[in-house]
Amino acid sequence: MSETPDSAVQTATAAVRTYIEQHRAAFLDDLAQWLRIPSVSAQPEHDADVRRSADWLAAALRETGFPEVEILQTPGAPAVFAEWPSGEPGAPTVLVYGHHDVQPAAREDGWHSDPFEPVITDGRMYARGAADDKGQVFFHTLGVRAHLAATGRTAPAVNLKLLIEGEEESGSPHFRALVEEHAERLAADAVIVSDTGMWSEDTPTVCTGMRGLAECEIQLYGPGQDIHSGSFGGAVPNPATAAARLVAALHDADQHVTVPGFYDGIAELTDAERELFAELPFDETEWLRTARSGATYGEAGFSTLERIWARPTAEVNGIGGGYQGPGGKTIIPASAMVKLSFRLVAGQDPQHIEKRVTDWVGEQLPAGIRHEITWSAATRPCLTPLGHPALQSVVRAMSQAFGTKVRFTREGGSGPAADLQDVLAAPVLFLGISVPSDGWHAPNEKVELDLLFKGVETAALLWSDLAATAV
Amino acid sequence: MSETPDSAVQTATAAVRTYIEQHRAAFLDDLAQWLRIPSVSAQPEHDADVRRSADWLAAALRETGFPEVEILQTPGAPAVFAEWPSGEPGAPTVLVYGHHDVQPAAREDGWHSDPFEPVITDGRMYARGAADDKGQVFFHTLGVRAHLAATGRTAPAVNLKLLIEGEEESGSPHFRALVEEHAERLAADAVIVSDTGMWSEDTPTVCTGMRGLAECEIQLYGPGQDIHSGSFGGAVPNPATAAARLVAALHDADQHVTVPGFYDGIAELTDAERELFAELPFDETEWLRTARSGATYGEAGFSTLERIWARPTAEVNGIGGGYQGPGGKTIIPASAMVKLSFRLVAGQDPQHIEKRVTDWVGEQLPAGIRHEITWSAATRPCLTPLGHPALQSVVRAMSQAFGTKVRFTREGGSGPAADLQDVLAAPVLFLGISVPSDGWHAPNEKVELDLLFKGVETAALLWSDLAATAV
Ligand SMILES: [Zn+2]
Ligand SMILES: [Zn+2]
């Protein structure tokens, strides 16, 4: 008598869990080793660390069993590619995307421990990259081993590919070229992005889209050097004032972005989409606690979830000019600087936004203020159709691992998923187990170990489900 | 046959010049020694240097011949007081004011040489404090010696007092209390402030007033830590944006300051005053070169000289928040900071301005942005009547030293002169030989040696003229 599909899944799940339990400690030791490498792609002094991180991951993937592992060089930081063919004719091909570089972190930013010396406390692992993204890349190593152990296979049920880039936290400047160059080797029926989060520990969710990102730095130059504010104050333009006015002019009183053409091409939210958002157990007080913020604030006419998931933004990430040391210094500063980032939603084209903002900045500045605007590589927004069969596979695997209903979210953050979608012509799915309190890009980033192992389980169950599903 | 007053002055001038020529080299050596002491009052790590500077000056004044020299302690940096009684009954008493502390300076700010290792090149001495204010304090030492040599006196023709404070560049927080405490010893018929400049090398001028100054630092707090601009961007208030909006809201489109009540009590410029300003050989191109600026910019309806001398301002001296390092960091910063300074004119009360600005700042900020505003000690504006006899003495001494007509200016900068005026009930006069290109508060500050010695001459001639004038 053969098992029903459901009981087969139960058996597989039990086997997966047993395997994970046996390898849990070694897995965490290995992950901690990787997290000790400060692979900060935005800081040139860490170039060698980013390369070391790629080498470390390549070795770990070979150790995992991937027969083909290769460092893919770029003009910037290297990516890691790995492939494990299924061996079964007609097996679908899946490409897992993640990144091995991390955000800058310094102990004095408010970390309770060294950001590059992982600490496990109360079921959490604290380290830069614990959640974004090394932890979420690494769960696929134990995931595929558990998948093999539970199914008795010697190769995965799908042709499994991994592409783990090294420049995501720098805006993935060479990622699109990399994907284009290796498009044939990367070809897949579906892309699984493991670089997002879920609603909460109690409400597992699958993300269906990410915002895009355009980022610039604007340098403003006034006097040829700092000049005395008594001798000259009130009679020449001040670049710090110009910087402030630029930032202030970015939004109108309703917090709409004022740059002409900014909203061109956006697909407005449907009522159905707004209802799906509204169904989520959103607790504003709790959300504000996670945001470490005292109040919500944003574009008039939209809820908080709509603002962070489905509306584009203009945000100041950094501003600086003049004297910032202790005490006072009565100068008109020689220069000032603004770092802006724009989150983009489906329908917005980063190049179009960059051009519109560049034009607008030039129009805002008075005579006597020179400026330079520098754009970092942009990231396109992306959105996956809710009904796609591969998305349903992810939902099933995740429901099984978590033992509960899986809902849908979007991701306010940005990743190069859209490049994969564009170049590989494959649907992009998201499998992430991070929660909002994980502190991405902030001090004391952590990952919840329970969720990390649910991620391992989901990955272990997903490959069989996908192989059984036409994708 | 007694000399006519004019020829007596000629003889005295010649004697003064001979004496100066003989002591020129030693004077510059001594001044250089003083300039090597980095007496930066705004930086706590230089506290000992400021004290060392006071001790050095006290010794130099004893060496000059002042029979009474004393370090006056304050809760902050010490001042130096010196007194040299005339010995003649009925001689007027004059108090010279200056300061021995200096602005911060670091080689990497753009100095061509160590700011605290004076260099003489092309008739200029480059060092922090060369013009503001050690050079202009120090010319009084050679000045009084030359006065004695030229007149054959053993004590000055006036009861000469010096008060050289140590906190001017920190806003003179304890100066008023110091003057109040020692009001009896400081009592004078006129105050000579040597901490200003003149129009140009070719157009010697006497300043008749200074703007006042109120300074604050505003700390703005948003999220409890830097948070991810993808996860939260567009839905919580950003303190860097709030800082920028605060600065942008300070002025209207005509560059009038918008803070309600800011212009209360100001005496508007008379037509006669505007004409005196307009008579000066103002070359906007040249002025812009000195200002190292590409364009003039300021309050509608006023000329550049009116803007810097007779109109109050609101200026940003520093702004900072978020990530300012290389590359990008997609955060909503936890905090931001703005340093503002307000130049004030006669009729404006600093306490009133502080209250109005404090109230206004509180009204500007959205929910979710906390703030702290800290005011430094303020400086009151001051203005001297054009017709005062002691002012005419200064004009005569200066005309004689420079051999040309002396005109009138005001000073856009600020000093605690008004406290002396208030507490001592004495007119405040200005004797300064610095020129706008001297780079006060900027890198490569210098003093023109020719002008420095004209300052010595003026001081040497002034005491006899003042003694002969009812002040
Ligand atoms: Zn990431
Ligand atoms: Zn000064």
Side-chain angles (χ1 to χ4, degrees), chain A residues 114-404:
Chain A
D114 185 334
F116 297 107
E117 186 48 61
V119 170
I120 294 183
T121 316
D122 296 335
R124 296 163 174 167
M125 182 183 267
Y126 289 89
R128 172 59 86 225
D132 177 24
D133 182 39
K134 285 173 175 168
Q136 302 203 95
V137 165
F138 207 59
F139 74 57
H140 285 286
T141 62
L142 185 54
V144 68
R145 298 290 327 168
H147 162 67
L148 299 182
T151 57
R153 305 179 56 91
T154 55
V158 297
N159 298 307
L160 186 59
K161 297 177 179 178
L162 260 69
L163 177 62
I164 311 303
E165 71 153 316
E167 300 187 310
E168 200 274 341
E169 300 297 3
S170 303
S172 304
H174 308 104
F175 186 71
R176 190 175 177 106
L178 180 82
V179 174
E180 284 170 347
E181 182 185 346
H182 301 283
E184 220 160 314
R185 290 174 81 188
L186 297 172
D189 300 300
V191 174
I192 304 279
V193 170
S194 282
D195 184 28
T196 56
M198 52 180 226
W199 181 262
S200 72
E201 196 160 343
D202 304 324
T203 306
T205 51
V206 168
C207 171
T208 66
M210 298 184 87
R211 292 197 288 193
L213 179 64
E215 269 185 288
C216 66
E217 180 167 322
I218 306 168
Q219 292 285 347
L220 300 165
Y221 303 100
Q225 60 185 23
D226 291 351
I227 58 173
H228 187 251
S229 76
S231 305
F232 303 106
V236 295
N238 177 331
T241 305
R245 290 181 184 175
L246 208 54
V247 168
L250 266 176
H251 298 87
D252 67 17
D254 287 331
Q255 307 312 316
H256 297 303
V257 176
T258 56
V259 177
F262 185 74
Y263 295 99
D264 285 358
I266 291 182
E268 294 295 330
L269 277 171
T270 64
D271 287 348
E273 286 169 317
R274 299 185 88 158
E275 272 162 33
L276 266 179
F277 287 4
E279 268 174 20
L280 287 161
F282 181 69
D283 176 339
E284 187 164 285
T285 308
E286 176 57 29
W287 183 86
L288 280 172
R289 191 158 39 237
T290 305
R292 305 281 307 260
S293 294
T296 60
Y297 188 79
E299 199 180 2
F302 296 93
S303 72
T304 292
L305 289 184
E306 289 164 1
R307 286 170 177 169
I308 56 175
W309 288 348
R311 295 299 296 172
T313 66
E315 202 77 65
V316 192
N317 309 118
I319 188 168
Y323 184 66
Q324 298 182 50
K329 196 171 177 194
T330 45
I331 52 163
I332 298 172
S335 64
M337 176 281 299
V338 183
K339 289 180 199 275
L340 299 179
S341 62
F342 300 87
R343 296 284 166 181
L344 309 178
V345 300
Q348 280 180 308
D349 173 51
Q351 269 87 56
H352 176 79
I353 297 296
E354 291 178 6
K355 191 182 172 331
R356 293 302 193 123
V357 172
T358 300
D359 290 349
W360 177 85
V361 168
E363 288 157 14
Q364 301 299 305
L365 300 171
I369 300 288
R370 290 184 305 110
H371 80 288
E372 285 163 17
I373 183 166
T374 314
W375 290 93
S376 312
T379 308
R380 295 163 58 83
C382 76
L383 203 57
T384 311
L386 286 174
H388 195 282
L391 177 60
Q392 297 304 320
S393 276
V394 174
V395 169
R396 274 192 301 273
M398 202 167 184
S399 303
Q400 181 61 21
F402 283 82
T404 185

Side-chain angles (χ1 to χ4, degrees), chain B residues 59-74:
Chain B
L61 292 173
R62 278 186 206 103
E63 183 74 16
T64 297
F66 280 84
E68 195 186 326
V69 179
E70 191 183 335
I71 306 277
L72 301 184
Q73 300 299 338
T74 77

